[in-house]
Amino acid sequence: MIAVDGLSKSFGKRREVRAVDGVTFAAADGEITGLLGPNGAGKTTLLRMLATLVVPDAGRANVAGLDVVADRRAVRRRIGVLSDARGLYPRLTARENIRYFGRLHGLAGAALERRVDTLVDALGLAAVADRPAQGYSQGERMKTAIARALVHDPDTILLDEPTNGLDIMSVRALREQLKALRAQGKCLLFSSHVMQEVAALCDRIVILGRGRVVAAGTAAELLAQSGAATLEDAFVGLLGSGEGLAA
Amino acid sequence: MHRIFTVAAKEIIDTLRDRRTMLVTLATAALAGPIFLVLIFNMMAQQSERARDLVLPVQGAEHASALIAFLEREQVKVVPAPADFEARIRAGELAVVLVVDPRFADDVKAGKAGIVRLVHDRSRDRARVSIDQAEALLRAYNAQWGRMRLLLRGVAPEVGSPLEVRTVNLATPQQSGALVLFLVAYYGLFASIMGGMAVALDTTAGERERASLEPLLTTPASTLELVTGKWLATTLFNGIVVAVTLAGFWATLSFAPLPPVGIPFLFGAKELGRFLAILLPMIALLPAILLWVGARARTYKEAQANVSVLLFVVALVPAIQLFAQRREPDWIALVPVSGQYALLNRALRGEAIPLLELAVSWAVPVGLAVLALAGVARLWSRESVLAGK
């Protein structure tokens, strides 16, 4: 469960860049919520505030009922984050990369090993899991990063542009993985600038433009709201044609 | 606490996997002592050989046969000087030539001082030993001759030299060979920055460059836990490199067939232990500073450029102390690098270092290390650490 209320964040010497500007939305458990917006719409900043890495200027955000500023340590235990930066340790194997994060989350011993095995199997990493990560393909790196983010079995999962740089097979595998997590009742928040991605996966969509929520709802609601015939037309109409929603 | 050890263990494994860097660092550390000692000892052996059998070209030996006889009694090999000796001295082929004035015998007979010229080029280091030796011999001959004359006239020699200078050399035998001592102390200090450098930068600037820092920051580990774990790992490697470097010096001095240069030299197991105790604050402090420098950089390359400033300081300070002839002020014991260098020198001279002084030399480095680690923790808590890669 994520509840965001009037969240704002500005950057720059005189706080002149309003990256996120009074954003309000909610993301329910057992659903995939899509954050859709063009590059620079404020998606990454918003996710970083939810991940407790950036402190909001104004507004509140709750993750699993915990405040992201006041309870940041507790929030970190409950969230799994696949951020824009998802570098691995190239000299460590996938298993070692995942295990390291598991230990930092307080897992140990047989429980940790079981969890690592489960993730390696679920993500189809078994073939490469004991080789150093420096030889991995983009897809294998992504899967390792996801396993690392999920090692402590978090209730809330934040994914920043997870399909960036992946081939179509990897994208499909990722979608299946996210659907499986939804079926387990997790709350997933998924950001993308690719409309088709969001349309194919998300139960609810929040459209961001210039740091503000432009529209929110299910795909059908967005169609009705905009009066457009297709989702693409709806997005372009809602954002204004100048934004350039590149696929 | 467990997170600190988790981070340290991961960094240790990660570093051990980087075999090439490990091997180069360890090989450099292990070979520094043997290579430098063999070079220096051979140089010194050559010099002392030159001093022992002084060959002195003399022009006009026939004018001062008593002087020549004296020199030969003193084991000097007197040879006729070549005609072009001035050019040869300039070229560095001859160290020193003695020229006896043609009127020497007449002057002496007339009761005047006989003139001899010692021709040399003092700007040449290698010639210095021969020059000093020739000068000393001539002075000794002068004194001996003067005493004889006074005695012949029934005057006590003390009348002519009312001041008798007796030099008392307080240097213990170990105090000679200052250059070798300097090298050992210098390398010990230098190793304590080289040993941790690769690890410290890889684990901070490298972490940021690989884009693995942000995921790390979303775990429940605090930035202080992260940096403390990284510091533990870096300090461990640093300690190993320093120990290997010093062991290289110790093993070379103890077992290698070095040419005998007549320097009874103390760098045994006891001195090795004292060295490590003195260098411990540096082994712990320099990784903390390296981590801080690394954390301020966005890339490994940028960090390396910034580290060169630190290297410069550590390399330069002992060199300045070597050449500064004045006695050092007391507060120098507190200054990191300087204080350690001064203590290392004392340990090499065979002095025991009182525990209190050792503790005092620890104070500032430990304080600085804590500050540096807190600085990294603060840097990583800032939002700007996420910007760029």
Side-chain angles (χ1 to χ4, degrees):
Chain A
M1 183 54 199
I2 298 171
V4 176
D5 183 17
L7 214 55
S8 295
K9 181 71 188 179
S10 301
F11 293 112
K13 280 201 186 94
R14 293 181 306 280
R15 303 257 152 214
E16 68 274 16
V17 185
R18 300 190 70 100
V20 173
D21 189 2
V23 166
T24 301
F25 72 90
D29 291 343
E31 280 189 4
I32 302 177
T33 305
L35 267 181
L36 179 67
N39 294 322
K43 302 186 297 291
T44 296
T45 303
L46 182 54
L47 287 176
R48 280 177 176 167
M49 284 193 276
L50 295 177
T52 75
L53 292 174
V54 169
V55 179
D57 295 336
R60 309 169 51 81
N62 275 294
V63 172
L66 299 159
D67 187 87
V68 295
V69 179
D71 312 313
R72 65 195 309 189
R73 269 306 233 341
V75 168
R76 285 183 191 178
R77 283 193 191 95
R78 308 290 290 272
I79 56 171
V81 186
L82 184 71
S83 61
D84 186 32
R86 38 180 159 260
L88 304 174
Y89 299 106
R91 292 186 290 267
L92 300 188
T93 67
R95 256 180 229 285
E96 289 165 334
N97 268 288
I98 301 165
R99 205 179 282 138
Y100 180 40
F101 276 65
R103 292 221 171 97
L104 290 177
H105 274 288
L107 297 174
L112 174 61
E113 292 313 309
R114 265 200 308 279
R115 182 69 188 149
V116 173
D117 286 341
T118 309
L119 286 165
V120 164
D121 288 340
L123 287 158
L125 276 169
V128 295
D130 293 309
R131 290 216 301 261
Q134 57 202 353
Y136 286 6
S137 69
Q138 282 275 30
E140 286 158 354
R141 257 179 251 158
M142 165 61 70
K143 286 174 184 171
T144 309
I146 291 174
R148 180 174 73 180
L150 298 179
V151 66
H152 54 302
D153 197 18
D155 327 308
T156 306
I157 298 153
L158 310 174
L159 305 112
D160 193 2
E161 308 260 7
T163 56
N164 262 4
L166 291 190
D167 62 30
I168 189 68
M169 295 309 293
S170 305
V171 170
R172 292 184 76 148
L174 176 67
R175 270 189 214 145
E176 293 315 307
Q177 188 61 37
L178 297 185
K179 282 177 185 164
L181 289 167
R182 171 173 64 186
Q184 292 167 31
K186 311 276 186 196
C187 170
L188 290 102
L189 185 61
F190 171 111
S191 93
S192 176
H193 65 277
V194 185
M195 182 204 67
Q196 290 87 341
E197 258 335 300
V198 175
L201 195 61
C202 299
D203 304 297
R204 298 177 59 79
I205 301 168
V206 176
I207 301 181
L208 279 184
R210 296 171 195 264
R212 292 164 181 273
V213 176
V214 176
T218 61
E221 284 166 358
L222 289 174
L223 277 177
Q225 204 178 324
S226 65
T230 66
L231 264 180
E232 188 171 325
D233 289 342
F235 294 146
V236 174
L238 286 164
L239 279 165
S241 52
E243 297 276 7
L245 262 188
Chain B
M1 232 10 218
H2 77 90
R3 289 198 194 93
I4 293 175
F5 292 120
T6 298
V7 174
K10 179 261 162 192
E11 297 300 350
I12 289 167
I13 291 169
D14 205 347
T15 305
L16 288 176
R17 294 266 168 88
D18 189 1
R19 294 232 174 84
R20 208 178 308 164
T21 309
M22 278 304 290
L23 274 177
V24 170
T25 313
L26 282 178
T28 315
L31 291 178
I35 289 176
F36 273 86
L37 287 177
V38 166
L39 282 177
I40 296 281
F41 271 70
N42 276 312
M43 218 171 76
M44 290 187 352
Q46 270 178 23
Q47 276 200 349
S48 61
E49 248 155 54
R50 201 171 294 135
R52 232 175 330 201
D53 4 285
L54 176 67
V55 178
L56 186 63
V58 181
Q59 196 187 56
E62 64 276 12
H63 305 302
S65 46
L67 168 60
I68 302 303
F70 168 81
L71 290 175
E72 280 171 344
R73 266 203 313 281
E74 294 292 322
Q75 309 294 322
V76 178
K77 199 173 170 210
V78 177
V79 297
D84 59 342
F85 67 85
E86 287 196 11
R88 287 190 144 178
I89 287 171
R90 262 186 219 110
E93 290 163 31
L94 287 177
V96 59
V97 170
L98 180 70
V99 179
V100 183
D101 195 274
R103 290 197 309 273
F104 184 88
D106 296 337
D107 281 345
V108 170
K109 248 180 234 155
K112 288 194 275 182
I115 295 170
V116 293
R117 293 184 186 81
L118 210 50
V119 187
H120 59 73
D121 176 355
R122 200 169 260 282
S123 68
R124 286 185 189 281
D125 269 347
R126 279 144 49 102
R128 225 165 265 179
V129 181
S130 306
I131 298 167
D132 291 345
Q133 211 182 354
E135 265 178 9
L137 285 167
L138 290 176
R139 239 179 275 125
Y141 180 66
N142 183 41
Q144 190 184 330
W145 196 4
R147 268 202 301 277
M148 298 294 286
R149 283 179 167 182
L150 290 172
L151 280 172
L152 281 173
R153 286 165 178 72
V155 182
E158 286 75 23
V159 174
S161 49
L163 184 70
E164 186 188 338
V165 181
R166 282 188 193 164
T167 54
V168 182
N169 190 355
L170 284 178
T172 55
Q174 301 90 336
Q175 245 167 320
S176 31
L179 185 62
V180 185
L181 306 195
F182 170 73
L183 263 178
V184 181
Y186 190 79
Y187 261 86
L189 265 174
F190 208 66
S192 60
I193 188 164
M194 295 309 288
M197 194 158 80
V199 192
L201 299 192
D202 188 61
T203 188
T204 49
E207 183 103 66
R208 198 162 160 193
E209 192 172 9
R210 280 191 304 264
S212 52
L213 183 59
E214 190 176 330
L216 206 51
L217 294 177
T218 56
T219 66
S222 71
T223 54
L224 196 60
E225 287 173 321
L226 292 175
V227 71
T228 307
K230 286 162 186 281
W231 171 78
L232 273 180
T234 314
T235 299
L236 177 76
F237 283 110
N238 206 25
I240 291 173
V241 169
V242 173
V244 167
T245 305
L246 295 179
F249 276 93
W250 170 75
T252 312
L253 288 168
S254 309
F255 306 116
L258 292 168
V261 292
I263 297 176
F265 199 85
L266 266 197
F267 192 67
K270 196 164 68 183
E271 281 72 24
L272 184 69
R274 279 185 193 153
F275 255 54
L276 283 173
I278 293 167
L279 282 174
L280 218 52
M282 288 292 108
I283 292 172
L285 165 65
L286 288 170
I289 293 180
L290 285 167
L291 287 169
W292 183 73
V293 172
R296 294 180 60 84
R298 278 161 195 259
T299 63
Y300 194 87
K301 232 180 190 168
E302 194 187 327
Q304 269 182 322
N306 295 340
V307 156
S308 54
V309 179
L310 194 61
L311 272 176
F312 188 67
V313 172
V314 173
L316 202 66
V317 168
I320 293 173
Q321 272 171 290
L322 177 73
F323 291 112
Q325 296 296 323
R326 265 173 301 159
R327 196 183 166 276
E328 282 151 357
D330 289 340
W331 53 259
I332 207 102
L334 292 172
V335 180
V337 183
S338 288
Q340 275 67 38
Y341 177 69
L343 285 178
L344 290 178
N345 268 322
R346 286 170 54 191
L348 272 177
R349 271 182 250 136
E351 285 183 40
I353 311 292
L355 217 56
L356 182 69
E357 271 187 71
L358 210 54
V360 166
S361 79
W362 275 62
V364 176
V366 167
L368 283 177
V370 170
L371 272 183
L373 294 183
V376 178
R378 245 192 59 194
L379 272 173
W380 280 349
S381 303
R382 284 197 202 152
E383 290 163 8
S384 57
V385 79
L386 307 171
K389 271 180 195 165

